[in-house]
């Protein structure tokens, strides 16, 4: 199975700053089928990005995804208070689908 | 707008069977792929598997011997059964809907905590 490694484990930033989150795969992700999710405890995870770079429905344009093959990045251009949460990447190009361990984005 | 809600016992004894149901509202269960994902306390997300509305399934090999998923079209629900549970199966269990055969999990329930303990 494909192992996804996210970095950093925790990212401490202030509202208005730019966040850059990384997701590295142990082997190439088929068709760049890589998604990013936002998750707050007690809530449903929310799909942000799919196919590495396509924003999901109603996701603001401050979220962007990039990358291909084994290296992917989620960028949040200007952090809003509601953006502080845990972010997961997921590959859905190969079975079993796998998730990264998460990056916690916390307020500095 | 489709919504998903997990339900089932919050406490299961070791060696017994964990049974959860996901109720779909605001849309039909027909012609979609439905997934189960779990998150042990303090850990990341683990994909358990999915079922298509026709009843075809794909399970994570790590759990395949213990997992069964089913669909109840008449009640717009789908279900998860996990047998011979241990403390390692303690987790928040999420149900979700995929956008298509080659699509991520688009819509999720809020999750339900299942604790395995005697």
């Amino acid at each position: 199975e494909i192992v996804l490694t996210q970095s950093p484990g925790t990212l401490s930033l202030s509202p208005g700053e730019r966040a850059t989150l990384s997701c590295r795969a142990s082997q190439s992700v088929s068709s760049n089928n890589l998604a990013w999710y936002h998750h707050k405890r007690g809530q449903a995870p929310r799909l942000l990005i799919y196919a590495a770079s396509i924003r999901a429905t109603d996701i603001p344009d401050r979220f962007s995804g990039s990358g291909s093959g084994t290296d992917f990045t989620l960028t949040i251009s200007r952090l809003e208070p509601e953006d502080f949460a845990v972010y997961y990447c997921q590959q859905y190009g190969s079975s079993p689908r796998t998730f990264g361990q998460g990056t916690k984005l916390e307020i500095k | 707008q489709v919504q998903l809600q997990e339900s089932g016992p919050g406490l299961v004894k070791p060696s017994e069977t964990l049974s959860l149901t996901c109720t779909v509202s605001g849309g039909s269960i027909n012609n979609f792929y439905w997934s189960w994902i779990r998150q042990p306390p303090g850990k990341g997300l683990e994909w358990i598997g999915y079922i298509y509305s026709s009843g075809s399934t794909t399970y994570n090999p790590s759990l395949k011997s213990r997992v069964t998923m089913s669909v109840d079209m008449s009640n717009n629900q789908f279900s998860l059964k996990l047998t011979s549970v241990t403390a390692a199966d303690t987790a928040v269990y999420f149900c979700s809907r995929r956008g298509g055969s080659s699509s991520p999990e688009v819509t999720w329930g809020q999750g339900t905590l299942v604790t395995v303990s005697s």
Side-chain angles (χ1 to χ4, degrees):
Chain A
E1 71 178 46
I2 295 178
V3 177
L4 299 178
T5 302
Q6 292 186 240
S7 61
T10 302
L11 186 56
S12 300
L13 294 170
S14 301
E17 289 192 296
R18 180 185 185 92
T20 303
L21 288 67
S22 174
C23 177
R24 178 162 291 178
S26 60
Q27 55 189 280
S28 186
V29 175
S30 176
S31 302
N32 292 329
N33 282 338
L34 192 287
W36 290 93
Y37 298 89
H38 163 288
H39 186 214
K40 289 189 173 183
R41 184 185 299 271
Q43 298 182 10
R46 185 180 184 189
L47 176 66
L48 300 172
I49 301 286
Y50 65 96
S53 62
I54 301 175
R55 275 190 301 277
T57 302
D58 295 331
I59 300 303
D61 61 6
R62 65 178 182 274
F63 291 92
S64 63
S66 62
S68 64
T70 60
D71 288 295
F72 300 89
T73 300
L74 174 69
T75 302
I76 312 171
S77 58
R78 296 171 308 279
L79 286 166
E80 299 285 344
E82 61 268 28
D83 297 337
F84 292 92
V86 180
Y87 290 82
Y88 294 97
C89 58
Q90 179 205 30
Q91 69 80 22
Y92 55 96
S94 305
S95 189
R97 297 183 166 203
T98 51
F99 293 87
Q101 82 280 16
T103 289
K104 181 180 180 181
L105 179 55
E106 64 177 23
I107 298 177
K108 187 174 181 179
Chain B
Q1 181 179 351
V2 66
Q3 293 185 312
L4 288 74
Q5 180 66 58
E6 305 88 351
S7 60
L11 181 64
V12 180
K13 290 182 168 56
S15 79
E16 294 190 345
T17 297
L18 178 159
S19 296
L20 294 174
T21 296
C22 184
T23 300
V24 180
S25 58
S28 173
I29 204 167
N30 201 22
N31 295 324
F32 283 98
Y33 292 85
W34 306 94
S35 302
W36 288 97
I37 297 105
R38 69 180 184 177
Q39 183 175 36
K43 296 187 177 181
L45 297 165
E46 179 181 28
W47 179 77
I48 300 171
Y50 72 81
I51 183 166
Y52 186 60
S53 55
S54 65
S56 64
T57 56
T58 297
Y59 302 141
N60 191 322
S62 67
L63 296 167
K64 186 176 182 178
S65 63
R66 299 193 291 130
V67 171
T68 303
M69 297 182 187
S70 59
V71 169
D72 180 355
M73 301 281 281
S74 61
N75 288 308
N76 231 33
Q77 296 176 328
F78 61 103
S79 298
L80 168 71
K81 291 189 186 299
L82 182 66
T83 62
S84 304
V85 298
T86 69
D89 296 309
T90 294
V92 175
Y93 286 76
F94 298 94
C95 59
S96 69
R97 189 184 83 170
R98 286 162 51 175
S101 60
S102 298
S103 169
E105 276 64 34
V106 177
T107 305
W108 297 58
Q110 290 192 314
T112 187
L113 174 63
V114 179
T115 301
V116 179
S117 175
S118 56

